Amino acid sequence: MNRIKVINDPSELVPMLRAVDTPVKRDVLKEVTVEWKTADDIEAKFGPEGRDAVVFFEKMKLVETRWLSTNGQYPEKSYHTYYSSFSITAQWPVFEISDVLAAAMMPDEEYAEMEQKILDMVGEKGGFSGDIAEALGLSSTFLKSLVRRSVKMDFRGHRIEIIKDA
C-alpha cells in the first residue's frame, strides 16, 4: 500500500531529520523499508543502537508494527516503514524554520538538558505547551520541535505529556 506523509507543519521535519542522523539509523530505516523485521533481527545485525533506532521510529510514527511468528516461538513484534513517500509543502518564515533546524541539529548533550527541563515542567500530569514555552523563554515552534525530537514525551492537543512506556 502506498502511504504518503504530508508535512505541513515545520516541526514535523524534526523526526525526519533525526531518523537519518546516524549511519545506523539510516541503515535500519532502509532495512525496514524492504521487509518486516523484528527488533531481535535488527539488534542482531546492527547492535543495541539498531534496536534503539526502531523504538525511535515507532515513537515518531515512521514504522508500523505487527506480530510475527518466528521459528515456532511466541509471536514477536515486527516493524516496517509506514510511509512509502513524503510530500513536503515548504514555505515557512525564516525564524520558524531556523528554530526547527536548531532543534533537530542540537548536540545530544545540549538537547538532553533541554529535554530534562521540559520533562520537569511537564511532570506526571502533563502541561500546557504555551505555559512551558513562556516559562522557558522559547518560541512555540522551537518547543514543538524539541518535543517532537523526544522519545519520552509527546503532544496531546496543546498539552505535552510524558509517554508512559518511555
Side-chain angles (χ1 to χ4, degrees):
M1 175 182 288
N2 288 330
R3 294 185 188 120
I4 300 170
K5 169 72 173 162
V6 178
I7 297 176
N8 293 318
D9 185 271
S11 67
E12 292 175 9
L13 287 174
V14 174
M16 297 306 311
L17 295 170
R18 299 302 298 179
V20 295
D21 66 347
T22 68
V24 170
K25 282 183 183 174
R26 280 192 303 270
D27 292 344
V28 170
L29 188 62
K30 289 176 185 176
E31 189 85 9
V32 297
T33 298
V34 176
E35 62 183 312
W36 289 89
K37 293 286 186 176
T38 67
D40 288 343
D41 293 338
I42 292 167
E43 186 169 11
K45 187 168 183 177
F46 300 102
E49 191 180 345
R51 184 180 288 268
D52 293 344
V54 81
V55 169
F56 175 81
F57 297 155
E58 184 176 14
K59 189 273 178 186
M60 298 298 164
K61 298 171 183 74
L62 296 175
V63 294
E64 59 183 323
T65 61
R66 73 174 182 192
W67 293 98
L68 182 68
S69 294
T70 56
N71 303 330
Q73 303 283 344
Y74 290 105
E76 290 183 67
K77 195 181 216 182
S78 61
Y79 302 88
H80 190 269
T81 52
Y82 191 77
Y83 300 105
S84 57
S85 60
F86 294 90
S87 175
I88 300 172
T89 305
Q91 185 172 346
W92 301 299
V94 171
F95 69 88
E96 278 190 54
I97 200 66
S98 64
D99 282 348
V100 170
L101 296 175
M105 302 303 160
M106 184 181 289
D108 290 339
E109 301 79 27
E110 185 180 344
Y111 175 73
E113 289 177 26
M114 289 296 298
E115 181 182 45
Q116 192 57 54
K117 286 180 185 177
I118 297 167
L119 288 168
D120 291 343
M121 293 188 74
V122 167
E124 290 297 318
K125 295 183 179 181
F128 181 64
S129 62
D131 294 341
I132 294 169
E134 186 177 326
L136 293 174
L138 305 174
S139 72
S140 61
T141 301
F142 193 53
L143 177 63
K144 188 182 278 189
S145 299
L146 292 169
V147 171
R148 293 217 195 264
R149 179 174 168 172
S150 178
V151 294
K152 298 177 182 176
M153 59 186 152
D154 205 357
F155 277 94
R156 304 282 187 257
H158 291 286
R159 294 182 58 76
I160 301 170
E161 296 182 359
I162 293 175
I163 297 173
K164 300 301 182 207
D165 60 341

